[in-house]
Amino acid sequence: MNTRMQEGWTKDDLNGVIDRLENIRKGMSISSYRSKQVEEIFGIVQKDRDIVNSDAKIQKAMLGEEIFSVDDETGIVRFLYPMKSSTECNHCHINASENSINGVLDISFPHSDIKVSLDTVSFYLILFFILFILLIAYIFFFIINKKMVKPVVELTNNIKQIEESKDLASRVDIHTNIEELGILQNSFNQLLITIKYYYDELIKKLYTDELTSVNNLIKLQQDIEKIDEKCYLFILDIKSFGMINRVYGNKVADFLLQEFAINIEKLLKGNGELYRLYGDEFAILYKSKITESEILDYVTKLRSYIYKYNDSEFILDVTIGYTHSSDKNILEQATIALKAAKQHNKLIYQYDDSLAIKDEDSNHILWLNKLDKAIENNNIIPYFMPMKNTKTGKIDKYETLVRIIENDNIYTPDKFIDISIASGKYPIITQTIIKKAFEYFNDIDDIKFSINFSLSDITNEETTDLLFKYLDEYKYSQNVVIELLETEEISDFELLNKFINKVKKYGAKIAIDDFGSGYSNFNYILNLDIDIVKLDRCLIENLYTNQNSVVVVSNIIKAIKELDLTVVAEMVTSQEIESILTIHEVDYLQGFHIGKPQKDILI
C-alpha cells in the first residue's frame, strides 16, 4: 500500500486492490482508515470516521499499537496494523513526521486459515522432537554404552570375581579409553598388591618363630590337621638350657637357639619340617621312613656341634621324644614320649599307648582324690580378681574365680576342672561358688561381682534354681554379672536367651567371656541379649609388641561399642597395655597388672 500511494494511487484505487484480495481469499476482510493528520490533507471519509469513532481497538491502533485478537464466539481473527510514516511518505503527507501514524489497516479472517499452518508446524515440531529423541537414544545406547557403561560393568564384574575367589594375586584388567576408569583400575590393582603384601607378612609372622625364623607351634598344629598318612613327629628338648640362660643371659641363649635351629635344618636337608615350640623345645615333622639308627645318627651329629660366642664354647645335648602315627594327637603323643624320656633318663624315647594310659590314669586318680577331699573339707573357695574402671580409675568390680586349698597349697582350675567334669562333680563346684560369693557380698552395696556359668551349668536345674534363689534374696542383685563361659559351642540360643531373660528380671547383667577365641564370634552377640563383652587374652597379650594386634583389637572394640555394650579386657600385664586399651576406650581392665586374684577384695 505504501508503494502504491507513492505512485499516486488514490483511496479508491487502493479499495479496488483490497476488493480483489478479498475475492481471492474467501472470508478475508480488509479495511483502511485515515488518521486525522491524513484527513487534514486528503479529506474525511465519513463512514470510515464513524467506524473509527465507534471502535476502541481501531482508536488504540491509531495511537501506534498493533492489535491481534480472536473473537470468542465467531473465531474470527482480527489484526490491526498502524501504518507509520516514513521519510518517503512526507513528500505527500507534508504535515506528518517520521513514525507518526498515517492510518490503520484492519484485517479479519477465519481462524481456520491459520489452523492449517499451526497443525503443520505442530506436525513438524513433533516429528523433529521424535527424531531428536531417537538420535539421543542412539548416542546413549550405542556410543555411551560402548565407551562408558560397558567398561564400568566389566570393571565391577572383575572386582566381584576377585572378591568371591579371594585370590589376592588376581588383577583387574579392562580395556578402556576413559582416563578415570584407567586410574580406578590401576588404583584397585595397587591396593590388591598392598593388601597381599601385608597379608603375606601377617601370615609369615603368624606361622613363624620370631627368634629363629623357623615354623612355630601354630604352624605345626595346622600342618598336623592336614596329615592323612603316618609320619614321624620328634620333639627335641635342649638339656640344661635353663642353666645356660640364667648364667650367660638372654643374649647368649637366643644366639644358641638360632644356631641350633640352623644346624637342624642343615641335617634335615629339606626332608622334614622344623618348628620351634617354646623355650628350648623344637619339633620335626618327618614324613619319610626313618630308622632308629638314622635318628641316633642325627642326634650324634647335633651333639657334635660346638657353638662359639665370644670366648665361650657350648655343646648342646638333647632329649628326644617321638611318635610314628597318623593320629591327630601326635603332638600330645610326642610330648608324653619326651616326658617319659626325661623320667627314665633316656636319650630317645618312642611313644606307645601304655605311656598315655599310665600318664593319664595317675594324674586322674591324684586329682580325683584331691577334689573329693576339697569337697568333703569345704576347701573349694572363691578368689576375687579385681577389674579397674577406666573412667574413674577405681576398682569397683571383681570376677569370682574358684580355687582349691590343700594345706598351704592353692590350686587353680586348670588342675581340677577337667577331672570334675569327667567325674560328674563339676555342678558341686559351681553351686559352692554361687553360695559363697553371694554370702561374701551380702552387705556390700557399691561393688559388682561376676560368677562364671558354663552351658552345662545353665542346663543343670539344681544349679540354676540355686542362682535364682540367691538373686531373689539378694538386695543388690543389680551388682551381679553372670559370665557365660565358652566351654562348648552354643547352638540352642532359645534355651540360653530364656535363662538370660530370667537373670535380667533381677537387674543382673550378662557377660560373654573369652570373646575372640574358641567358638566366640559376633553371631553370639547378635543372638544373645548380653550387656558385657570380655576380650580374650589372646587378643590382648601382644598389644604392646605387635601393631597388627592393636589394629584388630581397636576395630573389635569399635564394633562392640557401636552395639552399646560394655567392653572388658583380660590379660592386662603392663602399664603399656593398660594405656593402649584406655586410649581405645575399653571400659574395664583385668589382669595381673591391675591385681592378682585374692581371697579378699580391696576395701
Side-chain angles (χ1 to χ4, degrees):
M1 290 188 70
N2 286 336
T3 302
R4 295 309 179 195
M5 283 190 287
Q6 289 175 32
E7 291 175 356
W9 285 29
T10 64
K11 182 173 178 59
D12 292 335
D13 296 327
L14 294 176
N15 285 340
V17 173
I18 288 171
D19 289 340
R20 287 195 296 275
L21 285 172
E22 289 177 340
N23 290 327
I24 293 170
R25 191 77 173 186
K26 296 298 182 182
M28 178 179 284
S29 171
I30 303 173
S31 301
S32 64
Y33 305 101
R34 290 175 175 174
S35 66
K36 291 183 178 181
Q37 65 185 21
V38 173
E39 288 177 338
E40 290 175 359
I41 299 175
F42 296 103
I44 296 172
V45 179
Q46 191 58 48
K47 68 174 184 176
D48 289 350
R49 168 52 55 192
D50 293 339
I51 291 171
V52 170
N53 289 338
S54 64
D55 194 323
K57 290 183 179 179
I58 297 176
Q59 293 171 21
K60 284 185 179 181
M62 286 292 184
L63 297 175
E65 181 181 348
E66 288 187 7
I67 297 174
F68 184 89
S69 64
V70 180
D71 190 287
D72 293 335
E73 295 180 1
T74 63
I76 297 297
V77 178
R78 187 181 185 192
F79 178 56
L80 295 172
Y81 175 73
M83 293 185 292
K84 297 179 180 179
S85 180
S86 63
T87 303
E88 292 79 4
C89 298
N90 295 341
H91 294 302
C92 299
H93 299 272
I94 56 175
N95 63 341
S97 60
E98 191 168 348
N99 289 328
S100 61
I101 306 303
N102 288 334
V104 171
L105 276 178
D106 184 357
I107 305 168
S108 298
F109 51 88
H111 69 277
S112 58
D113 283 8
I114 65 168
K115 185 175 182 181
V116 174
S117 60
L118 285 174
D119 288 344
T120 303
V121 170
S122 298
F123 171 77
Y124 283 108
L125 183 62
I126 293 170
L127 181 63
F128 172 78
F129 181 74
I130 293 172
L131 291 174
F132 179 75
I133 293 297
L134 290 174
L135 180 62
I136 292 298
Y138 172 81
I139 293 172
F140 180 79
F141 287 106
F142 291 94
I143 298 177
I144 297 180
N145 182 62
K146 182 178 179 181
K147 296 293 184 181
M148 180 176 289
V149 176
K150 189 176 179 181
V152 169
V153 171
E154 188 178 352
L155 177 65
T156 304
N157 289 336
N158 271 214
I159 293 173
K160 190 178 294 184
Q161 288 171 2
I162 292 172
E163 181 185 2
E164 291 173 353
S165 67
K166 296 181 172 57
D167 183 6
L168 295 177
S170 299
R171 297 291 177 266
V172 173
D173 183 21
I174 63 170
H175 303 287
T176 177
N177 295 324
I178 300 174
E179 183 179 354
E180 287 76 8
L181 285 180
I183 293 171
L184 184 60
Q185 173 180 267
N186 293 336
S187 298
F188 184 79
N189 287 336
Q190 188 59 48
L191 179 62
L192 284 177
I193 292 170
T194 304
I195 292 172
K196 188 174 188 307
Y197 170 78
Y198 284 107
Y199 177 79
D200 291 342
E201 287 296 306
L202 183 61
I203 293 299
K204 184 179 178 182
K205 286 184 178 181
L206 180 64
Y207 295 134
T208 304
D209 177 62
E210 190 174 352
L211 177 64
T212 61
S213 298
V214 300
N215 298 320
N216 60 14
L217 175 60
I218 297 174
K219 184 66 166 65
L220 174 60
Q221 291 169 333
Q222 186 183 70
D223 290 345
I224 287 173
E225 288 299 316
K226 298 176 183 177
I227 290 175
D228 55 5
E229 58 183 355
K230 274 192 171 185
C231 60
Y232 291 88
L233 181 64
F234 302 88
I235 297 183
L236 296 77
D237 179 79
I238 302 174
K239 291 182 178 180
S240 304
F241 193 78
M243 180 67 73
I244 295 173
N245 199 359
R246 287 192 295 272
V247 174
Y248 292 93
N250 291 336
K251 192 172 183 181
V252 175
D254 289 349
F255 165 78
L256 293 175
L257 290 173
Q258 290 168 342
E259 293 298 309
F260 183 74
I262 291 171
N263 287 333
I264 294 176
E265 289 196 311
K266 285 179 181 177
L267 290 174
L268 290 175
K269 296 179 181 178
N271 291 325
E273 287 292 327
L274 176 64
Y275 310 82
R276 183 188 176 206
L277 305 184
Y278 27 70
D280 59 343
E281 285 191 6
F282 290 80
I284 299 172
L285 191 61
Y286 202 92
K287 294 186 178 180
S288 303
K289 186 173 177 58
I290 187 170
T291 64
E292 190 163 335
S293 62
E294 288 174 320
I295 298 171
L296 284 170
D297 184 54
Y298 277 131
V299 174
T300 301
K301 288 178 180 178
L302 274 176
R303 298 168 76 185
S304 68
Y305 289 118
I306 298 174
Y307 301 87
K308 294 183 179 181
Y309 188 90
N310 294 335
D311 297 329
S312 301
E313 292 186 352
F314 302 88
I315 296 175
L316 301 180
D317 199 359
V318 295
T319 302
I320 297 177
Y322 77 97
T323 184
H324 183 218
S325 173
S326 59
D327 197 308
K328 300 300 181 186
N329 295 322
I330 59 172
L331 180 57
E332 182 182 346
Q333 294 174 0
T335 302
I336 293 172
L338 178 64
K339 181 180 176 182
K342 291 179 179 180
Q343 288 174 346
H344 296 88
N345 199 25
K346 297 284 188 179
L347 179 64
I348 302 171
Y349 211 107
Q350 183 176 5
Y351 170 84
D352 63 58
D353 291 339
S354 64
L355 285 177
I357 294 170
K358 183 178 179 182
D359 187 73
E360 183 179 344
D361 284 351
S362 60
N363 184 66
H364 185 96
I365 293 169
L366 172 68
W367 277 104
L368 188 56
N369 289 333
K370 288 181 181 291
L371 182 60
D372 287 339
K373 286 181 180 179
I375 294 171
E376 182 181 347
N377 298 322
N378 197 27
N379 285 335
I380 296 175
I381 63 168
Y383 261 48
F384 306 103
M385 190 164 195
M387 299 185 203
K388 184 177 182 180
N389 188 323
T390 58
K391 303 292 188 301
T392 64
K394 296 180 179 179
I395 306 294
D396 61 9
K397 183 185 289 189
Y398 288 84
E399 180 180 1
T400 307
L401 304 173
V402 62
R403 297 289 187 268
I404 284 180
I405 294 180
E406 185 184 66
N407 300 324
D408 294 330
N409 297 316
I410 300 171
Y411 296 112
T412 53
D414 57 298
K415 302 290 194 303
F416 57 83
I417 283 294
D418 289 343
I419 300 297
S420 71
I421 293 172
S423 62
K425 295 180 172 63
Y426 177 75
I428 298 174
I429 294 176
T430 304
Q431 291 163 23
T432 301
I433 293 302
I434 291 172
K435 178 178 179 294
K436 291 187 176 182
F438 273 97
E439 288 174 354
Y440 185 90
F441 288 97
N442 186 56
D443 297 315
I444 302 174
D445 64 348
D446 58 346
I447 298 293
K448 296 180 175 64
F449 70 96
S450 65
I451 298 175
N452 293 322
F453 249 58
S454 68
L455 192 58
S456 61
D457 289 323
I458 294 170
T459 56
N460 187 297
E461 189 174 341
E462 188 177 347
T463 301
T464 55
D465 286 347
L466 184 67
L467 172 67
F468 294 128
K469 172 181 176 295
Y470 276 101
L471 280 173
D472 190 53
E473 295 172 354
Y474 186 47
K475 55 187 174 182
Y476 309 118
S477 58
Q478 71 277 5
N479 290 339
V480 179
V481 178
I482 302 299
E483 289 192 21
L484 302 179
L485 301 175
E486 296 195 53
T487 54
E488 54 194 300
E489 185 174 8
I490 297 170
S491 58
D492 193 349
F493 288 105
E494 184 178 352
L495 170 69
L496 205 52
N497 274 315
K498 186 177 180 181
F499 169 78
I500 290 171
N501 291 336
K502 193 168 182 179
V503 169
K504 287 196 165 191
K505 286 181 180 178
Y506 295 97
K509 300 290 189 294
I510 297 292
I512 187 165
D513 197 19
D514 298 335
F515 183 84
S517 71
Y519 301 103
S520 182
N521 54 56
F522 280 98
N523 187 39
Y524 291 179
I525 294 178
L526 297 175
N527 285 283
L528 300 175
D529 185 18
I530 63 172
D531 308 289
I532 303 165
V533 174
K534 295 189 73 174
L535 303 180
D536 186 69
R537 61 184 61 203
C538 69
L539 297 172
I540 306 301
E541 56 190 358
N542 296 320
L543 278 182
Y544 184 58
T545 58
N546 190 329
Q547 182 59 35
N548 291 329
S549 294
V550 177
V551 173
V552 172
V553 170
S554 65
N555 280 289
I556 290 175
I557 293 169
K558 287 178 185 175
I560 296 172
K561 284 282 190 178
E562 287 196 4
L563 294 172
D564 200 27
L565 302 176
T566 299
V567 182
V568 179
E570 298 177 296
M571 199 62 183
V572 180
T573 57
S574 66
Q575 180 59 49
E576 290 82 2
I577 293 178
E578 177 180 351
S579 299
I580 292 170
L581 291 169
T582 303
I583 289 170
H584 289 287
E585 298 184 344
V586 168
D587 299 296
Y588 280 90
L589 305 174
Q590 179 179 339
F592 281 8
H593 174 68
I594 304 302
K596 295 181 180 180
Q598 299 292 336
K599 193 174 181 180
D600 294 301
I601 67 171
L602 302 172
I603 303 293

